[in-house]
Amino acid sequence: QVQLVESGGGLVQPGGSLRLSCVVSGSFTLINRMGWYRQPPGGQRELVAYLTTGGKIDYGNSVKGRFIISRDHAKNAAYLQMNSLKPEDTAVYFCNADVESVGRYGYEYWGQGTLVTVKA
């Protein structure tokens, strides 16, 4: 199957920065959209950001102005640059991709998640 692997999570001080990476591998023909979602402790999974191949971007309200999503199409990768981190950003961050492949026009896949902890 198509696999998404995140990396870059860890412990960071409030006000610091961190960059997450996500790489797509497996059998596919096109990545239509890649995005990031997060689930805080005791909370619901929520949108962080997404970016389509056509260049459309959307951010969750809580991260606008602080986080930046980008893609490297040649590497089948997406990145999330997180700046001015706050304790409330602590969450498991999941990579998400809408992928086209033989037998499926478009299908949504998820990574395993990477933990980001913001703490003094």
Side-chain angles (χ1 to χ4, degrees), residues 73-94:
H73 298 276
K75 296 180 179 179
N76 298 320
Y79 307 96
L80 184 69
Q81 179 66 46
M82 303 183 293
N83 301 313
S84 301
L85 284 162
K86 306 174 181 178
E88 51 263 44
D89 293 318
T90 296
V92 177
Y93 285 71
F94 296 91

Side-chain angles (χ1 to χ4, degrees), residues 1-110:
Q1 66 173 28
V2 173
Q3 295 182 345
L4 281 63
V5 179
E6 305 100 331
S7 62
L11 177 65
V12 64
Q13 296 289 314
S17 297
L18 205 63
R19 192 176 86 141
L20 305 182
S21 299
C22 175
V23 178
V24 181
S25 63
S27 181
F28 64 92
T29 57
L30 179 69
I31 302 173
N32 296 310
R33 184 193 75 248
M34 295 190 72
W36 293 91
Y37 294 74
R38 68 185 184 185
Q39 186 168 6
Q44 189 75 24
R45 187 176 298 185
E46 63 185 15
L47 171 70
V48 177
Y50 76 79
L51 173 62
T52 71
T53 300
K56 183 178 180 180
I57 302 174
D58 195 19
Y59 291 95
N61 289 332
S62 63
V63 306
K64 288 181 179 178
R66 298 190 297 123
F67 291 9
I68 302 171
I69 188 171
S70 61
R71 285 180 63 180
D72 186 331
H73 298 276
K75 296 180 179 179
N76 298 320
Y79 307 96
L80 184 69
Q81 179 66 46
M82 303 183 293
N83 301 313
S84 301
L85 284 162
K86 306 174 181 178
E88 51 263 44
D89 293 318
T90 296
V92 177
Y93 285 71
F94 296 91
C95 184
N96 168 265
D98 185 79
V99 179
E100 184 175 336
S101 63
V102 176
R104 291 184 183 270
Y105 178 75
Y107 192 80
E108 195 170 72
Y109 293 89
W110 293 89

